[in-house]
Amino acid sequence: MADFSQLRKFAVDPGAVADFPLWMVVDADQPVPVLRLRSATLYNAPFYNESMRRAGMRMRVGGDLAKRDAALREEDRTLFAEFVLVGWDHVYDVHGAAVPFAASEALDYLRAMPDTLFDQVRYFARDESNFRPPSDPASAAGNSASASRGS
């Protein structure tokens, strides 16, 4: 019987936290802000369960699609602040003062982001490939597919 255990390296680590550098908001005299995120998928059970609960409530509401999309983005900001964003580095306020990560600051920070920037955070957190365990360098050395993926 064939052994296909090499596929296990593509499994998502439910406890993984990935760094998302915010290159697009770099100020010339400050380092790149980095958000520490958990997966915004079913592999983050508290996030997924609350998201599905709220989706069920939305299904009953109906209404204008643009308004629903805006409401969904705001809902995601709330859920991300509670279940996905778990830390940051190099985040500064408007006066240039470093802001230490605190759950109470997370929602304000996400709400301050323009929609297009927050959407990039959402896409990153929903991409399961960002939450896979690191590859074993010894096994990846002879595998051109892994090398081309950058892992």
Side-chain angles (χ1 to χ4, degrees):
M1 182 173 253
D3 179 4
F4 298 108
S5 59
Q6 79 277 14
L7 297 175
R8 290 189 191 123
K9 68 182 174 188
F10 298 107
V12 174
D13 177 359
V17 172
D19 289 349
F20 180 63
L22 293 172
W23 295 103
M24 61 294 293
V25 298
V26 174
D27 201 349
D29 59 340
Q30 296 174 337
V32 175
V34 176
L35 302 183
R36 294 207 163 51
L37 304 171
R38 290 192 200 290
S39 169
T41 67
L42 63 94
Y43 296 102
N44 178 344
F47 167 82
Y48 188 73
N49 291 337
E50 182 61 16
S51 180
M52 291 298 101
R53 184 187 71 75
R54 292 179 183 206
M57 292 179 353
R58 270 193 319 278
M59 295 294 286
R60 294 186 286 269
V61 174
D64 180 280
L65 293 179
K67 287 181 183 175
R68 280 198 330 196
D69 188 51
L72 179 58
R73 186 177 285 110
E74 179 56 26
E75 185 175 287
D76 272 356
R77 282 182 166 102
T78 302
L79 292 171
F80 272 55
E82 187 173 351
F83 300 111
V84 177
L85 180 57
V86 296
W88 62 43
D89 288 322
H90 312 298
V91 170
Y92 300 91
D93 67 13
V94 71
H95 304 291
V99 179
F101 178 79
S104 60
E105 299 283 0
L107 183 57
D108 290 340
Y109 188 72
L110 296 175
R111 281 185 172 151
M113 288 182 177
D115 292 346
T116 54
L117 179 56
F118 180 64
D119 285 347
Q120 291 180 42
V121 174
R122 291 164 88 194
Y123 298 143
F124 180 89
R126 289 189 171 128
D127 182 348
E128 294 174 355
S129 67
N130 292 319
F131 301 93
R132 291 184 182 140
S135 299
D136 175 13
S139 66
N143 184 343
S144 61
S146 318
S148 67
R149 278 190 329 110
S151 46

